[in-house]
């Protein structure tokens, strides 16, 4: 008896109740209700064709980023397979745009508009929950560029000469990251060509607030003041009277504490960078250092080092008239002690407030893990602008997610 094979079409040509009531349609319909795109024109009003609806393009790229599609071609196939979703949820009237249209839109869209849209969504939900921004977490995450220089199987595997830029991703830079979780306790250094995303999130609700995509060779401490400016620009009316921040040791720089304290009236719980510290000197009961021969050294002056924000104290050998095995000149041995000036807005690690705040640093790690989960550690695009726009759409989708409002209620 021959087999009967029933073939079902991949594209549903008639909208059914099952298609309209899927979880996919419900989730994105609810998300887009909170998205106000009135500030962005729908079509081109100047010379030339009007083009596709920009509101529909933005919504489609939010789907692309949130679902973690690996290519725009996959996005186009998925939208063609969901005609009801493409027409009535996204807003494409006749046909789904070609992949080249999406690529042009990604490379031409302004990232500042994405940050403004994200701020608009966050401010609306914060006002609804009667909540303010009290604690923020800041961090940077590496983004590996899609270039042959990062491919270990390629003959042009350049991870040492920073003067030779890749032909693709020309705006990328040679950076590195260290990991200290090796079983032998040794730090492992990994070099790569790419970028870093510098991100500030609301530590109470895991809400992404502002961000910047910069080349991998820019230090975290140099980008942080720019993020503070963006935070004030978009959220100045929702910042609490006293704002706290938490970060890792990459932000342990004096100007970070001072800028955050001056601009935001804020206090910082930042882990200390111990790379430049030395072992403690042996001190006498009155605080004077003890020389190698075991004698208490005598004071020989002090001064204020204004450039490095510290007082320096000089001590000299107390027994110049006696023979000493360790003396190498008639002047005798010298030692220095220093006392750093108080840092405004600094919360010391041994305080209870520090332990309370530093535990909230995991909020920015969770947002970074969200970006890793959708594959934006290794994006397959070749320009900085396209990468920052796609990451921006992903963070906008994170802000629009339906569990954000429940977390805001708990925080309030």
């Amino acid at each position: 008896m021959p087999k009967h094979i029933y073939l079902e079409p991949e594209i549903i040509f008639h909208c059914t109740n099952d298609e309209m009531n899927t979880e996919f349609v419900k989730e994105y319909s609810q998300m887009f209700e909170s998205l106000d795109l009135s500030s962005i024109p729908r079509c081109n009003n100047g010379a030339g064709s009007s083009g596709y609806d920009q509101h529909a393009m933005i919504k489609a790229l939010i789907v692309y980023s949130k679902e973690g599609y690996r290519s725009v071609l996959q996005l186009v196939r998925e939208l063609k397979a969901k005609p009801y979703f493409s027409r009535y949820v996204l807003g494409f009237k006749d046909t789904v745009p070609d992949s080249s249209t999406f690529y042009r839109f990604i490379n031409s869209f302004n990232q500042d508009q994405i940050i403004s849209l994200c701020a608009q969504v966050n401010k609306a939900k914060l006002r609804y929950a009667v909540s303010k921004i009290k604690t923020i977490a800041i961090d940077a995450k590496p983004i590996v560029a899609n270039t042959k220089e990062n491919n270990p199987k390629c003959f042009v595997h350049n991870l040492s000469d920073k003067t030779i830029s890749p032909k693709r991703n020309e705006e990328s830079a040679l950076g590195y990251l260290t990991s200290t979780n090796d079983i032998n306790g040794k730090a492992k250094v990994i070099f790569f060509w790419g970028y870093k995303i510098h991100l500030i999130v609301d530590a109470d609700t895991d809400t992404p607030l502002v961000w910047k995509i910069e080349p991998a060779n820019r230090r975290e401490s140099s980008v942080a003041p720019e993020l503070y400016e963006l935070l004030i620009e978009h959220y100045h009316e929702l910042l609490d009277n006293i704002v706290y921040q938490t970060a890792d040791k990459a932000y342990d720089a004096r100007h970070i504490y001072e800028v955050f304290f001056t601009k935001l009236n804020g206090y910082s719980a930042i882990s200390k960078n111990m790379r430049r510290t030395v072992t403690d000197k042996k001190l006498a009961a009155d605080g004077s250092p003890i020389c190698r021969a075991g004698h208490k050294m005598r004071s020989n002056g002090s001064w204020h080092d204004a450039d490095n924000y510290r007082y320096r104290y000089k001590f000299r050998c107390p027994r110049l008239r006696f023979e000493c095995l360790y003396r190498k000149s008639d002047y005798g041995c010298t030692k220095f002690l220093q006392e750093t000036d108080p840092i405004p807005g600094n919360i010391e690690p041994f305080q209870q407030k520090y332990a309370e705040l530093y535990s909230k640093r995991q909020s920015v790690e969770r947002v970074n893990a969200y970006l890793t989960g959708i594959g934006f550690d290794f994006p397959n695009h070749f320009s900085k602008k396209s990468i920052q726009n796609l990451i921006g759409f992903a963070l906008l989708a994170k802000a629009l997610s339906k569990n954000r409002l429940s977390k805001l209620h708990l925080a309030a």
Side-chain angles (χ1 to χ4, degrees):
M1 184 176 179
K3 294 182 179 180
H4 295 280
I5 301 176
Y6 299 92
L7 299 177
E8 294 184 0
E10 183 179 358
I11 300 177
I12 304 174
F13 293 96
H14 300 284
C15 300
T16 63
N17 289 330
D18 293 337
E19 184 186 6
M20 292 185 289
N21 295 320
T22 59
E23 290 297 326
F24 191 83
V25 171
K26 289 180 180 178
E27 178 185 2
Y28 283 101
S29 299
Q30 184 180 2
M31 284 175 56
F32 295 147
E33 287 177 0
S34 305
L35 185 62
D36 183 11
L37 299 174
S38 58
S39 60
I40 299 175
R42 281 186 173 273
C43 300
N44 176 27
N45 295 325
S49 61
S50 59
Y52 285 93
D53 189 349
Q54 291 197 81
H55 294 188
M57 297 288 289
I58 292 172
K59 293 177 182 178
L61 290 174
I62 289 175
V63 175
Y64 171 72
S65 302
K66 185 175 184 298
E67 296 298 323
Y69 296 149
R70 293 305 299 159
S71 66
V72 175
L73 289 174
Q74 183 182 0
L75 170 67
V76 173
R77 287 196 299 267
E78 292 291 334
L79 294 185
K80 287 183 178 179
K82 299 177 175 64
Y84 176 84
F85 179 78
S86 302
R87 184 178 181 88
Y88 296 104
V89 179
L90 298 184
F92 292 117
K93 294 182 180 180
D94 299 323
T95 58
V96 176
D98 191 66
S99 60
S100 60
T101 305
F102 279 108
Y103 280 121
R104 284 195 300 270
F105 187 82
I106 293 171
N107 285 311
S108 61
F109 197 73
N110 188 1
Q111 187 209 10
D112 296 337
Q113 291 182 322
I114 304 177
I115 296 179
S116 299
L117 290 174
C118 188
Q120 181 183 349
V121 172
N122 291 333
K123 287 189 287 188
K125 293 189 176 183
L126 285 168
R127 291 192 188 100
Y128 181 79
V130 195
S131 178
K132 286 196 171 185
I133 299 173
K134 300 177 181 179
T135 308
I136 63 171
I138 181 172
D139 197 10
K141 176 183 177 59
I143 300 171
V144 180
N146 186 10
T147 178
K148 64 182 180 181
E149 280 77 6
N150 288 326
N151 186 358
K153 295 183 178 181
C154 181
F155 292 107
V156 189
H157 184 54
N158 173 28
L159 293 179
S160 58
D161 190 355
K162 61 183 179 182
T163 61
I164 304 176
S165 301
K167 293 183 179 180
R168 287 190 170 184
N169 276 296
E170 296 88 352
E171 296 175 277
S172 64
L174 185 61
Y176 69 94
L177 58 96
T178 58
S179 59
T180 56
N181 56 351
D182 187 76
I183 57 174
N184 298 320
K186 296 181 180 179
K188 184 179 180 181
V189 181
I190 302 173
F191 290 90
F192 69 98
W193 285 91
Y195 311 92
K196 282 184 182 178
I197 173 173
H198 303 264
L199 175 66
I200 289 181
V201 305
D202 186 353
D204 295 318
T205 60
D206 297 0
T207 303
L209 299 176
V210 292
W211 60 89
K212 285 180 73 71
I213 307 293
E214 295 294 334
N217 59 355
R218 280 203 68 182
R219 292 180 179 272
E220 288 85 342
S221 56
S222 66
V223 184
E226 301 174 11
L227 291 179
Y228 299 152
E229 294 289 346
L230 285 174
L231 188 66
I232 295 171
E233 177 185 351
H234 292 285
Y235 299 95
H236 61 91
E237 72 275 13
L238 291 175
L239 293 172
D240 204 5
N241 296 329
I242 298 177
V243 183
Y244 297 94
Q245 77 164 340
T246 177
D248 59 15
K249 63 184 180 181
Y251 296 88
D252 184 25
R254 187 182 184 89
H255 72 276
I256 296 296
Y257 298 96
E258 292 178 343
V259 171
F260 190 71
F261 181 77
T262 304
K263 293 185 176 296
L264 294 164
N265 190 26
Y267 293 83
S268 306
I270 301 176
S271 60
K272 302 304 175 185
N273 189 348
M274 307 301 292
R275 285 178 292 184
R276 296 186 182 93
T277 58
V278 296
T279 56
D280 294 336
K281 298 180 176 67
K282 293 182 179 180
L283 301 178
D286 62 351
S288 301
I290 298 175
C291 68
R292 297 176 65 185
H295 304 293
K296 185 179 74 170
M297 305 182 73
R298 62 182 176 87
S299 176
N300 195 33
S302 64
W303 68 96
H304 183 248
D305 185 0
D307 294 336
N308 296 310
Y309 304 99
R310 61 186 179 181
Y311 281 94
R312 300 200 69 188
Y313 304 91
K314 182 180 178 181
F315 295 85
R316 191 179 174 187
C317 177
R319 301 172 65 88
L320 293 175
R321 298 180 180 179
F322 299 91
E323 294 293 332
C324 181
L325 296 175
Y326 303 100
R327 187 180 301 153
K328 297 181 180 179
S329 66
D330 295 336
Y331 188 80
C333 301
T334 58
K335 285 191 178 183
F336 295 89
L337 295 180
Q338 65 181 17
E339 181 181 5
T340 307
D341 293 347
I343 303 176
N346 178 29
I347 301 176
E348 295 293 341
F350 52 82
Q351 297 181 8
Q352 183 179 0
K353 188 67 176 178
Y354 179 92
E356 175 187 342
L357 291 172
Y358 195 72
S359 61
K360 295 183 178 181
R361 198 179 69 85
Q362 295 180 358
S363 59
V364 71
E365 299 291 350
R366 286 190 287 268
V367 178
N368 286 336
Y370 162 76
L371 294 175
T372 301
I374 58 179
F376 281 161
D377 280 353
F378 301 89
N380 57 358
H381 292 259
F382 300 103
S383 69
K384 176 186 173 183
K385 191 163 188 178
S386 61
I387 292 172
Q388 68 184 9
N389 281 338
L390 288 176
I391 291 179
F393 285 126
L395 294 174
L396 178 57
K398 179 77 172 174
L400 285 167
S401 61
K402 59 184 180 181
N403 63 342
R404 186 68 57 244
L405 194 59
S406 60
K407 286 190 176 183
L408 281 170
H409 279 296
L410 290 176

